Amino acid sequence: MAPPILSLALPSGTGRVLSIQSHTVQGYVGNKSAVFPLQLLGYDVDPINSVQFSNHTGYPTFKGQVLNGEQLWELIEGLEGNNLLYYTHLLTGYIGSVSFLNTVLEVVNKLRSVNPELKYVCDPVMGDEGKLYVPQELISVYREKVRASCSTKMFLQVVPVASMLTPNQFEAELLTEFRIQSEEDGREACKLLHSAGPSKVVITSINIDGNLLLIGSNQKEKGQEPKQFKIAIPKIPAYFTGTGDLMTALLLGWSNKYPDNLEKAAELAVSSLQALLHRTINDYKSAGHDPQSTSLEIRLIQSQDDIRSPQVKIKAEIYD
């Protein structure tokens, strides 16, 4: 008789996460940015790598493999065959093809057939600052195949199966077909995304007149006015890889610990990320490298104390 799976027989007080994201051998993006922080916060995490590359694609060259939808489903069937499909959370990040996204939707349904209370945290990685990372046709799948019917027909909606959505400004604009040029626009974009399904929405970075904001929104009941807040984020003059993946993982980790206090979860996530970025900058300077000359690999392992026990120095401001 096989021994019990202890993460199922003796589950942690936090949860068991299936994380479907990219993977690099060297560096910290995708699952490499998400799994370790969630483990530090007490979660059991099972990663499925949507791609496996030697390094991130910002380097001059990269090699590796891409998982397709059929291969993803084969892994799910393997878990199901051994009664290993009980998860409290599903986390997804970069998805590079329509077929893979369609299979992810099947995975959500399969996991919820095992645990109807499963929370799905979706980072709809499509691009940033006007540049697409994914094929154009993938956007229409997010908008159309994943949308739910709702009374508002002004804009196409996205991801009703998600519990939490964490787009950046560019991604939120793509999903809602709504231009974000002010704080009020950011709040309205959150409401549009709520109308598609997710009860929690965090637009992780919005650039308004040179100022960087996070805008969060928590709608506890359908039809209710959501509780919304903002966090002013200090700008750091450098470009980092893997920060969006890390931010979403931290938001999952802390929002589950504070389910009715999304602003506190965001404060903790932002504080961890800021401490890590400052450490990364300082370490590159110590190595004699100009941090503004190239994209930077984050110092994840060296920042584990800041992930586990962040010092909150940046507070959320609740909107009236």
Side-chain angles (χ1 to χ4, degrees), residues 163-167 189-191 193-194 198-203 215-219 229 262:
S163 311
M164 179 189 291
L165 200 64
T166 63
C190 288
K191 292 177 182 179
L193 292 169
H194 281 313
S199 60
K200 293 181 171 72
V201 176
V202 179
I203 304 180
I215 293 183
S217 189
N218 187 12
Q219 187 180 53
F229 63 91
L262 184 59

Side-chain angles (χ1 to χ4, degrees), residues 18 20 72-73 76 90 102-112 118:
L18 179 64
I20 304 175
L72 170 60
W73 193 249
I76 297 300
L90 172 65
N102 286 332
T103 305
V104 166
L105 299 180
E106 295 178 32
V107 172
V108 175
N109 291 332
K110 174 66 73 174
L111 295 181
R112 283 189 171 148
L118 175 101

Side-chain angles (χ1 to χ4, degrees), residues 33-82:
S33 268
V35 173
F36 180 62
L38 283 169
Q39 290 170 331
L40 285 176
L41 293 177
Y43 295 82
D44 287 306
V45 187
D46 292 345
I48 292 179
N49 299 326
S50 57
V51 305
Q52 178 165 270
F53 289 161
S54 55
N55 43 267
H56 70 70
T57 57
Y59 282 88
T61 64
F62 66 93
K63 299 286 186 179
Q65 301 83 36
V66 177
L67 197 71
N68 62 37
E70 183 178 340
Q71 291 166 329
L72 170 60
W73 193 249
E74 186 177 354
L75 293 172
I76 297 300
E77 287 180 326
L79 291 169
E80 184 180 28
N82 292 291

Side-chain angles (χ1 to χ4, degrees), residues 43-175:
Y43 295 82
D44 287 306
V45 187
D46 292 345
I48 292 179
N49 299 326
S50 57
V51 305
Q52 178 165 270
F53 289 161
S54 55
N55 43 267
H56 70 70
T57 57
Y59 282 88
T61 64
F62 66 93
K63 299 286 186 179
Q65 301 83 36
V66 177
L67 197 71
N68 62 37
E70 183 178 340
Q71 291 166 329
L72 170 60
W73 193 249
E74 186 177 354
L75 293 172
I76 297 300
E77 287 180 326
L79 291 169
E80 184 180 28
N82 292 291
N83 297 315
L84 298 175
L85 269 188
Y86 183 89
Y87 291 96
T88 59
H89 295 79
L90 172 65
L91 172 62
T92 63
Y94 175 77
I95 294 171
S97 71
V98 171
S99 67
F100 199 88
L101 177 57
N102 286 332
T103 305
V104 166
L105 299 180
E106 295 178 32
V107 172
V108 175
N109 291 332
K110 174 66 73 174
L111 295 181
R112 283 189 171 148
S113 72
V114 178
N115 176 19
E117 301 302 314
L118 175 101
K119 299 290 190 295
Y120 174 26
V121 178
C122 174
D123 181 7
V125 180
M126 292 183 287
D128 197 9
E129 297 181 347
K131 180 182 178 183
L132 278 175
Y133 301 154
V134 298
Q136 183 73 35
E137 60 265 25
L138 202 67
I139 299 170
S140 63
V141 176
Y142 269 113
R143 287 179 183 158
E144 296 168 17
K145 293 191 101 175
V146 196
R147 71 183 180 186
S149 59
C150 58
S151 58
T152 301
K153 295 184 178 179
M154 294 188 301
F155 303 102
L156 295 170
Q157 304 300 313
V158 64
V159 195
V161 293
S163 311
M164 179 189 291
L165 200 64
T166 63
N168 59 34
Q169 179 177 357
F170 178 61
E171 291 158 348
E173 290 176 339
L174 287 173
L175 293 173

Side-chain angles (χ1 to χ4, degrees), residues 228-253:
Q228 297 187 315
F229 63 91
K230 68 177 179 180
I231 297 178
I233 303 174
K235 274 192 168 183
I236 298 175
Y239 178 78
F240 306 87
T241 56
T243 54
D245 308 315
L246 172 58
M247 183 64 180
T248 296
L250 293 172
L251 285 168
L252 184 162

Side-chain angles (χ1 to χ4, degrees), residues 178-194:
F178 180 75
R179 182 85 169 161
I180 301 173
Q181 297 178 300
S182 66
E183 286 186 45
E184 281 301 316
D185 290 343
R187 297 178 66 186
E188 181 61 27
C190 288
K191 292 177 182 179
L192 290 170
L193 292 169
H194 281 313

